[in-house]
Amino acid sequence: MLSSLPPEARDWLTALPWEQRRYVLSLCHLVCATPSAQQAEFLDAYTAEGLLSRIVDDTDTRQRVNEHLVGFRSQAEIDSDTVRKYIRQVYVHSVQDARQRPDLYLETALMLMGSAQEHSSVLSYILGFEILKLLFAMSWEQHERLYHLQSNQDDFTREYIRPVQQAHRRHGIVIPKDEKTFFARRDYFIQQPDIHPQRLIGLIIEAFSADKIIELGFSVLRHPNAIHFDYDYIYGSQS
């Protein structure tokens, strides 16, 4: 197990005197024996301020995220309050994912405390989450218009639009009626979802893993045209 640690951590751990090794073992025992929600609370309290200062100091990535948010017409802004809220949310989300992967919350904490490239994952998560907020608030007609703009339409639909629409159905936000009847009234198709902001957060966390949201944000940061977005076309007059 020691061989899997970074060299600096391994050297520090093996150099500890006996009394201090007991403290390390006690902490390991407490973390492993604590319910995942409390682990997230501890990790948030223990790491958030350091992460916040690193992320706020990463002015280049922060500026690029803000520019993309403006492009998507999001009202969010990457300031200290927003980043602090999202650091906590990343841990909470990781706890939700930990139902399938019990190691994920600790893995997330170690990742975020690592290199500058890794802690910028929080900014990727923020960008990805804000994009998904827009998708959840769109009508299915607006989804169709967004889909038509994409270079790889099938992948985009499978990865993002379909999970959003499945969540709409599952929670009764959009209830399709006569969707297989071509000439039937399709009021549901142009229905604008009305979702309370707090509920919206829960729906996104349920529908997408934290890793998937980070991947979405990172793809947009890496390739500005990863998602083609034309506000006037998507939100133009409904059919």
Coordinates of all heavy atoms in Angstrom, one line a residue, residues 128-201:
G128 N -19.8 22.4 -16.4 CA -20.7 21.3 -16.8 C -22.0 21.4 -16.1 O -23.1 21.1 -16.8
F129 N -22.1 21.7 -14.8 CA -23.3 21.7 -14.1 C -24.2 22.8 -14.6 O -25.4 22.6 -14.7 CB -23.0 21.8 -12.6 CG -24.1 21.3 -11.7 CD1 -24.1 20.0 -11.2 CD2 -25.2 22.1 -11.3 CE1 -25.1 19.5 -10.4 CE2 -26.2 21.6 -10.5 CZ -26.1 20.3 -10.1
E130 N -23.6 24.0 -14.8 CA -24.4 25.1 -15.3 C -25.0 24.8 -16.7 O -26.1 25.3 -17.0 CB -23.6 26.4 -15.3 CG -23.2 26.9 -13.9 CD -24.4 27.3 -13.1 OE1 -25.4 27.8 -13.7 OE2 -24.4 27.2 -11.8
I131 N -24.3 24.1 -17.5 CA -24.8 23.7 -18.9 C -26.0 22.8 -18.7 O -27.0 22.9 -19.4 CB -23.7 23.1 -19.7 CG1 -22.6 24.2 -20.1 CG2 -24.3 22.5 -21.0 CD1 -21.4 23.6 -20.8
L132 N -25.8 21.8 -17.8 CA -26.9 20.9 -17.5 C -28.2 21.6 -17.0 O -29.3 21.2 -17.2 CB -26.5 19.7 -16.6 CG -25.5 18.8 -17.3 CD1 -25.0 17.8 -16.3 CD2 -26.1 18.1 -18.5
K133 N -28.0 22.6 -16.2 CA -29.1 23.4 -15.7 C -29.9 24.0 -16.9 O -31.1 24.0 -16.9 CB -28.6 24.6 -14.8 CG -28.3 24.2 -13.4 CD -27.9 25.5 -12.6 CE -27.6 25.2 -11.2 NZ -27.2 26.4 -10.4
L134 N -29.2 24.4 -17.9 CA -29.9 25.0 -19.1 C -30.6 23.9 -19.8 O -31.8 24.1 -20.2 CB -28.8 25.6 -20.0 CG -28.0 26.8 -19.5 CD1 -27.0 27.3 -20.6 CD2 -29.0 28.0 -19.1
L135 N -30.0 22.7 -19.9 CA -30.7 21.6 -20.6 C -32.0 21.2 -19.9 O -33.0 20.9 -20.5 CB -29.8 20.4 -20.7 CG -28.6 20.5 -21.7 CD1 -27.8 19.2 -21.8 CD2 -29.0 21.0 -23.1
F136 N -31.9 21.1 -18.5 CA -33.1 20.7 -17.8 C -34.2 21.7 -17.9 O -35.4 21.4 -17.7 CB -32.7 20.5 -16.3 CG -32.4 19.1 -15.9 CD1 -31.1 18.6 -16.1 CD2 -33.3 18.2 -15.5 CE1 -30.8 17.3 -15.8 CE2 -33.1 16.9 -15.1 CZ -31.8 16.4 -15.3
A137 N -33.9 23.0 -18.1 CA -34.9 24.0 -18.2 C -35.4 24.2 -19.6 O -36.4 25.0 -19.8 CB -34.3 25.4 -17.7
M138 N -34.9 23.5 -20.6 CA -35.4 23.6 -21.9 C -36.6 22.8 -22.2 O -36.7 21.7 -21.6 CB -34.3 23.2 -22.9 CG -33.1 24.2 -23.1 SD -31.9 23.5 -24.3 CE -30.7 24.8 -24.3
S139 N -37.4 23.2 -23.1 CA -38.5 22.3 -23.6 C -37.9 21.3 -24.5 O -36.7 21.4 -25.0 CB -39.5 23.2 -24.4 OG -39.0 23.6 -25.6
W140 N -38.7 20.2 -24.8 CA -38.2 19.2 -25.7 C -38.0 19.7 -27.1 O -37.1 19.2 -27.9 CB -39.1 18.0 -25.6 CG -39.0 17.2 -24.3 CD1 -38.5 17.7 -23.2 CD2 -39.5 15.9 -24.1 NE1 -38.6 16.7 -22.2 CE2 -39.2 15.6 -22.7 CE3 -40.1 14.9 -24.9 CZ2 -39.5 14.4 -22.1 CZ3 -40.4 13.7 -24.3 CH2 -40.1 13.5 -23.0
E141 N -38.8 20.7 -27.5 CA -38.6 21.3 -28.8 C -37.2 22.1 -28.8 O -36.5 22.0 -29.8 CB -39.7 22.3 -29.1 CG -39.5 23.0 -30.4 CD -40.6 24.1 -30.7 OE1 -41.0 24.7 -29.8 OE2 -41.0 24.2 -31.9
Q142 N -36.9 22.7 -27.7 CA -35.6 23.4 -27.7 C -34.5 22.4 -27.6 O -33.4 22.6 -28.2 CB -35.6 24.3 -26.4 CG -36.5 25.5 -26.6 CD -36.8 26.2 -25.3 OE1 -36.5 25.7 -24.2 NE2 -37.4 27.4 -25.4
H143 N -34.7 21.2 -27.0 CA -33.7 20.2 -27.1 C -33.4 19.8 -28.5 O -32.3 19.5 -28.9 CB -34.2 18.9 -26.3 CG -34.0 19.1 -24.8 ND1 -34.7 18.2 -24.0 CD2 -33.3 19.9 -24.1 CE1 -34.4 18.6 -22.7 NE2 -33.6 19.6 -22.7
E144 N -34.5 19.7 -29.3 CA -34.4 19.2 -30.7 C -33.6 20.3 -31.5 O -32.8 19.9 -32.3 CB -35.8 19.0 -31.3 CG -35.8 18.4 -32.7 CD -37.2 18.1 -33.2 OE1 -37.8 19.0 -33.8 OE2 -37.6 17.0 -33.0
R145 N -33.9 21.5 -31.2 CA -33.1 22.6 -31.9 C -31.6 22.5 -31.6 O -30.8 22.7 -32.4 CB -33.7 23.9 -31.6 CG -35.1 24.1 -32.2 CD -35.7 25.5 -31.9 NE -37.0 25.6 -32.4 CZ -37.7 26.8 -32.3 NH1 -37.2 27.9 -31.8 NH2 -38.9 26.9 -32.8
L146 N -31.4 22.3 -30.3 CA -30.0 22.2 -29.8 C -29.3 21.0 -30.5 O -28.1 21.1 -30.9 CB -29.9 22.1 -28.3 CG -28.5 22.0 -27.7 CD1 -27.6 23.1 -28.0 CD2 -28.7 21.7 -26.1
Y147 N -30.0 19.9 -30.5 CA -29.5 18.7 -31.1 C -29.1 18.9 -32.6 O -28.0 18.5 -33.0 CB -30.5 17.6 -30.9 CG -30.6 16.6 -32.0 CD1 -29.8 15.5 -32.0 CD2 -31.6 16.7 -33.0 CE1 -29.9 14.5 -33.0 CE2 -31.7 15.7 -34.0 CZ -30.8 14.6 -34.0 OH -30.9 13.7 -35.0
H148 N -29.9 19.7 -33.3 CA -29.7 19.9 -34.7 C -28.4 20.7 -35.0 O -27.8 20.6 -36.1 CB -30.8 20.6 -35.4 CG -32.0 19.6 -35.7 ND1 -31.9 18.5 -36.4 CD2 -33.3 19.7 -35.3 CE1 -33.0 17.9 -36.5 NE2 -33.9 18.6 -35.8
L149 N -27.9 21.4 -34.0 CA -26.7 22.3 -34.1 C -25.4 21.5 -33.9 O -24.4 22.0 -34.3 CB -26.8 23.4 -33.1 CG -27.8 24.5 -33.2 CD1 -27.8 25.4 -32.0 CD2 -27.6 25.3 -34.5
Q150 N -25.5 20.3 -33.4 CA -24.3 19.6 -33.0 C -23.7 18.8 -34.1 O -24.4 18.3 -35.0 CB -24.6 18.6 -31.8 CG -25.3 19.2 -30.6 CD -24.7 20.6 -30.2 OE1 -23.4 20.6 -30.0 NE2 -25.5 21.6 -30.1
S151 N -22.3 18.7 -34.1 CA -21.6 18.0 -35.1 C -21.9 16.5 -35.0 O -22.1 15.8 -36.0 CB -20.1 18.2 -35.0 OG -19.8 19.6 -35.1
N152 N -21.9 16.0 -33.8 CA -22.1 14.5 -33.6 C -23.5 14.4 -32.8 O -23.5 14.3 -31.6 CB -21.0 13.9 -32.8 CG -21.0 12.4 -32.8 OD1 -22.1 11.8 -32.9 ND2 -19.8 11.8 -32.8
Q153 N -24.5 14.4 -33.6 CA -25.9 14.5 -33.0 C -26.2 13.3 -32.2 O -26.8 13.4 -31.1 CB -26.9 14.7 -34.1 CG -26.7 16.1 -34.9 CD -27.6 16.2 -36.0 OE1 -28.2 15.2 -36.5 NE2 -27.7 17.4 -36.5
D154 N -25.9 12.1 -32.7 CA -26.3 10.9 -31.9 C -25.6 10.8 -30.6 O -26.2 10.5 -29.6 CB -25.9 9.6 -32.8 CG -26.8 9.5 -34.0 OD1 -27.9 10.1 -34.0 OD2 -26.4 8.8 -34.9
D155 N -24.3 11.1 -30.5 CA -23.6 11.1 -29.2 C -24.1 12.1 -28.3 O -24.3 11.8 -27.1 CB -22.1 11.3 -29.4 CG -21.4 10.1 -30.0 OD1 -22.0 9.0 -30.1 OD2 -20.2 10.3 -30.4
F156 N -24.4 13.3 -28.8 CA -24.9 14.4 -27.9 C -26.3 14.0 -27.3 O -26.5 14.2 -26.1 CB -25.0 15.7 -28.7 CG -25.4 16.9 -27.8 CD1 -24.4 17.5 -27.0 CD2 -26.7 17.3 -27.8 CE1 -24.8 18.6 -26.3 CE2 -27.0 18.4 -27.1 CZ -26.1 19.0 -26.3
T157 N -27.1 13.4 -28.2 CA -28.4 13.0 -27.7 C -28.3 11.9 -26.7 O -29.0 12.0 -25.6 CB -29.3 12.5 -28.9 OG1 -29.5 13.6 -29.8 CG2 -30.7 12.0 -28.4
R158 N -27.5 10.9 -26.9 CA -27.4 9.8 -26.0 C -26.7 10.2 -24.7 O -27.2 9.8 -23.6 CB -26.5 8.7 -26.6 CG -26.3 7.5 -25.7 CD -25.5 6.4 -26.4 NE -24.1 6.9 -26.6 CZ -23.6 7.2 -27.8 NH1 -24.3 7.2 -28.9 NH2 -22.3 7.6 -27.9
E159 N -25.7 11.1 -24.7 CA -25.0 11.4 -23.5 C -25.7 12.5 -22.6 O -25.6 12.4 -21.4 CB -23.6 12.0 -23.9 CG -22.7 11.0 -24.6 CD -22.3 9.9 -23.7 OE1 -22.1 10.1 -22.5 OE2 -22.1 8.7 -24.2
Y160 N -26.5 13.4 -23.3 CA -27.0 14.5 -22.5 C -28.5 14.7 -22.6 O -29.2 14.8 -21.6 CB -26.3 15.8 -22.9 CG -24.8 15.7 -22.7 CD1 -23.9 15.7 -23.8 CD2 -24.2 15.6 -21.4 CE1 -22.6 15.5 -23.6 CE2 -22.9 15.4 -21.3 CZ -22.0 15.4 -22.4 OH -20.7 15.2 -22.2
I161 N -29.0 14.8 -23.8 CA -30.4 15.1 -24.0 C -31.3 13.9 -23.5 O -32.3 14.1 -22.7 CB -30.8 15.4 -25.5 CG1 -30.2 16.7 -25.8 CG2 -32.3 15.4 -25.7 CD1 -30.4 17.2 -27.3
R162 N -31.0 12.7 -23.8 CA -31.8 11.5 -23.4 C -31.9 11.4 -21.9 O -33.0 11.3 -21.3 CB -31.3 10.3 -24.0 CG -32.3 9.1 -23.8 CD -31.8 7.9 -24.7 NE -31.8 8.2 -26.1 CZ -31.0 7.6 -27.0 NH1 -30.2 6.7 -26.6 NH2 -31.1 7.9 -28.3
P163 N -30.7 11.5 -21.1 CA -30.9 11.4 -19.7 C -31.7 12.6 -19.1 O -32.4 12.3 -18.1 CB -29.4 11.5 -19.2 CG -28.6 11.1 -20.4 CD -29.3 11.5 -21.6
V164 N -31.6 13.8 -19.7 CA -32.5 14.9 -19.2 C -33.9 14.6 -19.4 O -34.8 14.7 -18.5 CB -32.0 16.2 -19.8 CG1 -33.0 17.3 -19.5 CG2 -30.6 16.6 -19.4
Q165 N -34.3 14.1 -20.6 CA -35.7 13.9 -20.9 C -36.2 12.7 -20.1 O -37.4 12.7 -19.7 CB -35.9 13.6 -22.4 CG -35.6 14.9 -23.2 CD -36.0 14.7 -24.7 OE1 -36.3 13.6 -25.1 NE2 -36.0 15.8 -25.4
Q166 N -35.4 11.7 -19.8 CA -35.8 10.6 -19.0 C -36.1 11.1 -17.6 O -37.0 10.6 -16.9 CB -34.7 9.5 -19.0 CG -34.6 8.7 -20.3 CD -33.4 7.8 -20.3 OE1 -32.4 7.9 -19.5 NE2 -33.4 6.9 -21.3
A167 N -35.3 12.0 -17.1 CA -35.5 12.6 -15.7 C -36.8 13.4 -15.7 O -37.6 13.3 -14.8 CB -34.3 13.4 -15.3
H168 N -37.1 14.1 -16.8 CA -38.3 14.8 -17.0 C -39.5 13.9 -16.9 O -40.5 14.2 -16.1 CB -38.4 15.6 -18.3 CG -37.6 16.8 -18.4 ND1 -37.4 17.5 -19.5 CD2 -37.0 17.5 -17.4 CE1 -36.7 18.6 -19.3 NE2 -36.4 18.6 -18.0
R169 N -39.4 12.8 -17.6 CA -40.5 11.8 -17.5 C -40.6 11.2 -16.1 O -41.7 11.1 -15.6 CB -40.2 10.6 -18.5 CG -40.3 11.0 -20.0 CD -39.8 9.7 -20.8 NE -39.8 9.9 -22.2 CZ -40.8 9.5 -23.0 NH1 -41.8 8.9 -22.5 NH2 -40.7 9.7 -24.3
R170 N -39.5 10.7 -15.6 CA -39.5 10.0 -14.3 C -40.1 10.8 -13.2 O -40.8 10.2 -12.3 CB -38.1 9.6 -14.0 CG -37.9 8.6 -12.8 CD -36.5 8.0 -12.9 NE -35.4 9.0 -12.8 CZ -34.6 9.2 -13.9 NH1 -34.7 8.5 -15.0 NH2 -33.6 10.0 -13.8
H171 N -39.9 12.1 -13.2 CA -40.4 12.9 -12.1 C -41.6 13.7 -12.5 O -42.0 14.6 -11.8 CB -39.3 13.9 -11.7 CG -38.1 13.2 -11.1 ND1 -38.1 12.8 -9.7 CD2 -36.9 12.7 -11.6 CE1 -36.9 12.2 -9.5 NE2 -36.2 12.1 -10.6
G172 N -42.2 13.4 -13.6 CA -43.5 14.0 -14.0 C -43.4 15.5 -14.3 O -44.4 16.2 -14.3
I173 N -42.2 15.9 -14.7 CA -42.0 17.3 -15.1 C -42.6 17.6 -16.5 O -43.2 18.6 -16.8 CB -40.5 17.7 -15.1 CG1 -40.0 17.6 -13.6 CG2 -40.2 19.1 -15.6 CD1 -38.5 17.6 -13.5
V174 N -42.3 16.6 -17.4 CA -42.9 16.6 -18.8 C -43.6 15.2 -18.9 O -42.9 14.2 -18.7 CB -41.9 16.8 -19.9 CG1 -42.5 16.7 -21.2 CG2 -41.2 18.1 -19.7
I175 N -44.9 15.2 -19.2 CA -45.6 14.0 -19.4 C -46.1 13.9 -20.8 O -47.1 14.5 -21.2 CB -46.8 13.9 -18.4 CG1 -46.3 14.1 -17.0 CG2 -47.6 12.6 -18.5 CD1 -47.4 14.2 -15.9
P176 N -45.4 13.1 -21.6 CA -45.8 12.9 -23.0 C -47.2 12.3 -23.2 O -47.5 11.3 -22.5 CB -44.7 12.1 -23.6 CG -43.6 12.2 -22.7 CD -44.2 12.3 -21.3
K177 N -48.0 12.8 -24.1 CA -49.3 12.2 -24.3 C -49.4 12.1 -25.9 O -49.1 13.0 -26.6 CB -50.4 13.2 -23.8 CG -50.4 13.3 -22.3 CD -51.6 14.2 -21.9 CE -51.6 14.4 -20.3 NZ -52.7 15.3 -19.9
D178 N -49.9 10.9 -26.3 CA -50.0 10.6 -27.7 C -48.8 10.9 -28.5 O -48.9 11.4 -29.6 CB -51.2 11.4 -28.2 CG -52.5 11.1 -27.5 OD1 -52.7 9.9 -27.2 OD2 -53.3 12.0 -27.2
E179 N -47.6 10.6 -27.9 CA -46.4 11.0 -28.6 C -46.1 10.2 -29.9 O -45.4 10.6 -30.7 CB -45.2 10.9 -27.7 CG -45.0 9.5 -27.1 CD -43.7 9.4 -26.2 OE1 -42.7 10.0 -26.6 OE2 -43.8 8.8 -25.1
K180 N -46.8 9.1 -30.0 CA -46.6 8.2 -31.2 C -47.6 8.5 -32.3 O -47.6 7.9 -33.3 CB -46.6 6.8 -30.8 CG -45.5 6.3 -29.9 CD -45.5 4.9 -29.6 CE -44.3 4.5 -28.7 NZ -44.4 3.0 -28.4
T181 N -48.6 9.4 -31.9 CA -49.6 9.8 -32.9 C -49.2 11.1 -33.6 O -49.1 12.1 -33.0 CB -51.0 9.9 -32.2 OG1 -51.3 8.7 -31.5 CG2 -52.1 10.2 -33.3
F182 N -48.9 11.0 -34.9 CA -48.3 12.1 -35.6 C -49.1 13.4 -35.5 O -48.6 14.5 -35.3 CB -48.0 11.7 -37.0 CG -47.2 12.8 -37.8 CD1 -45.9 12.9 -37.6 CD2 -47.9 13.7 -38.6 CE1 -45.1 13.9 -38.2 CE2 -47.2 14.7 -39.3 CZ -45.8 14.8 -39.1
F183 N -50.4 13.2 -35.7 CA -51.3 14.4 -35.8 C -51.9 14.8 -34.5 O -52.7 15.8 -34.4 CB -52.4 14.2 -36.8 CG -51.9 14.1 -38.2 CD1 -51.9 12.9 -38.9 CD2 -51.5 15.3 -38.9 CE1 -51.4 12.9 -40.2 CE2 -51.1 15.3 -40.2 CZ -51.0 14.1 -40.9
A184 N -51.5 14.1 -33.4 CA -52.0 14.5 -32.1 C -51.4 15.8 -31.6 O -50.3 16.2 -32.0 CB -51.7 13.4 -31.1
R185 N -52.2 16.5 -30.7 CA -51.6 17.7 -30.1 C -50.4 17.3 -29.3 O -50.4 16.4 -28.5 CB -52.7 18.4 -29.2 CG -53.8 19.1 -30.0 CD -54.8 19.7 -29.0 NE -54.2 20.6 -28.1 CZ -54.0 21.9 -28.4 NH1 -54.4 22.4 -29.6 NH2 -53.4 22.7 -27.5
R186 N -49.3 18.1 -29.4 CA -48.1 17.8 -28.7 C -47.7 18.9 -27.8 O -46.6 19.5 -27.8 CB -47.0 17.5 -29.8 CG -47.3 16.4 -30.7 CD -46.2 16.2 -31.8 NE -45.1 15.6 -31.2 CZ -43.8 15.6 -31.8 NH1 -43.7 16.3 -32.9 NH2 -42.8 15.0 -31.2
D187 N -48.7 19.2 -26.9 CA -48.4 20.3 -26.0 C -47.2 20.1 -25.1 O -46.5 21.0 -24.7 CB -49.7 20.6 -25.1 CG -50.8 21.1 -25.9 OD1 -50.6 21.6 -27.0 OD2 -52.0 20.9 -25.4
Y188 N -47.0 18.8 -24.8 CA -45.9 18.5 -23.9 C -44.6 18.8 -24.6 O -43.6 19.1 -23.9 CB -45.9 17.0 -23.6 CG -45.5 16.1 -24.7 CD1 -44.1 15.8 -24.9 CD2 -46.4 15.6 -25.7 CE1 -43.7 15.0 -26.0 CE2 -46.0 14.8 -26.7 CZ -44.6 14.5 -26.9 OH -44.2 13.7 -27.9
F189 N -44.5 18.8 -25.9 CA -43.2 19.0 -26.6 C -42.8 20.5 -26.5 O -41.5 20.7 -26.5 CB -43.5 18.7 -28.1 CG -42.2 18.6 -28.9 CD1 -41.3 17.6 -28.6 CD2 -41.9 19.4 -29.9 CE1 -40.1 17.4 -29.4 CE2 -40.8 19.3 -30.7 CZ -39.9 18.3 -30.4
I190 N -43.7 21.4 -26.3 CA -43.3 22.8 -26.2 C -43.4 23.3 -24.8 O -43.2 24.5 -24.5 CB -44.2 23.7 -27.1 CG1 -45.6 23.6 -26.7 CG2 -43.9 23.3 -28.6 CD1 -46.5 24.6 -27.4
Q191 N -43.7 22.4 -23.9 CA -43.9 22.7 -22.4 C -42.5 23.2 -21.9 O -41.5 22.5 -22.0 CB -44.4 21.6 -21.7 CG -44.5 21.8 -20.1 CD -44.9 20.5 -19.4 OE1 -45.5 19.6 -20.0 NE2 -44.6 20.5 -18.1
Q192 N -42.5 24.3 -21.2 CA -41.3 24.8 -20.6 C -41.2 24.3 -19.2 O -42.1 24.6 -18.3 CB -41.3 26.4 -20.6 CG -39.9 27.0 -20.6 CD -39.2 26.9 -22.0 OE1 -39.8 27.1 -23.0 NE2 -38.0 26.5 -22.0
P193 N -40.3 23.5 -18.8 CA -40.2 22.9 -17.5 C -40.1 24.0 -16.4 O -39.3 25.0 -16.6 CB -38.9 22.0 -17.5 CG -38.7 21.7 -19.0 CD -39.2 22.9 -19.7
D194 N -40.8 23.8 -15.3 CA -40.7 24.8 -14.2 C -40.2 24.0 -13.0 O -41.0 23.3 -12.4 CB -42.1 25.4 -14.0 CG -42.1 26.4 -12.8 OD1 -41.0 26.9 -12.5 OD2 -43.2 26.7 -12.3
I195 N -38.9 24.2 -12.7 CA -38.3 23.4 -11.7 C -37.7 24.3 -10.6 O -36.9 25.2 -11.0 CB -37.2 22.5 -12.3 CG1 -37.7 21.7 -13.5 CG2 -36.6 21.5 -11.2 CD1 -36.6 20.9 -14.2
H196 N -38.0 24.1 -9.4 CA -37.4 24.9 -8.3 C -35.9 24.7 -8.3 O -35.4 23.6 -8.5 CB -38.0 24.4 -7.0 CG -37.6 25.3 -5.8 ND1 -36.4 25.1 -5.2 CD2 -38.2 26.3 -5.2 CE1 -36.3 26.0 -4.2 NE2 -37.4 26.7 -4.2
P197 N -35.1 25.7 -8.1 CA -33.6 25.6 -8.2 C -33.0 24.5 -7.3 O -32.1 23.9 -7.7 CB -33.2 27.0 -7.7 CG -34.3 27.9 -8.1 CD -35.6 27.1 -7.9
Q198 N -33.6 24.4 -6.1 CA -33.0 23.3 -5.2 C -33.3 21.9 -5.7 O -32.5 21.0 -5.7 CB -33.6 23.5 -3.8 CG -32.8 22.8 -2.7 CD -31.3 23.2 -2.7 OE1 -31.0 24.4 -2.8 NE2 -30.4 22.3 -2.5
R199 N -34.5 21.8 -6.3 CA -34.9 20.5 -6.8 C -34.1 20.2 -8.1 O -33.7 19.0 -8.3 CB -36.4 20.5 -7.2 CG -36.9 19.1 -7.7 CD -38.3 19.1 -8.2 NE -38.8 17.8 -8.5 CZ -39.8 17.5 -9.3 NH1 -40.5 18.5 -9.8 NH2 -40.2 16.3 -9.5
L200 N -33.8 21.2 -8.8 CA -33.0 21.1 -10.1 C -31.6 20.5 -9.7 O -31.1 19.6 -10.5 CB -32.8 22.4 -10.7 CG -32.0 22.5 -12.0 CD1 -32.5 21.6 -13.1 CD2 -31.9 23.9 -12.5
I201 N -31.0 20.9 -8.7 CA -29.7 20.4 -8.3 C -29.8 18.9 -8.0 O -29.0 18.1 -8.5 CB -29.2 21.1 -7.0 CG1 -28.8 22.6 -7.4 CG2 -27.9 20.4 -6.5 CD1 -28.5 23.4 -6.2

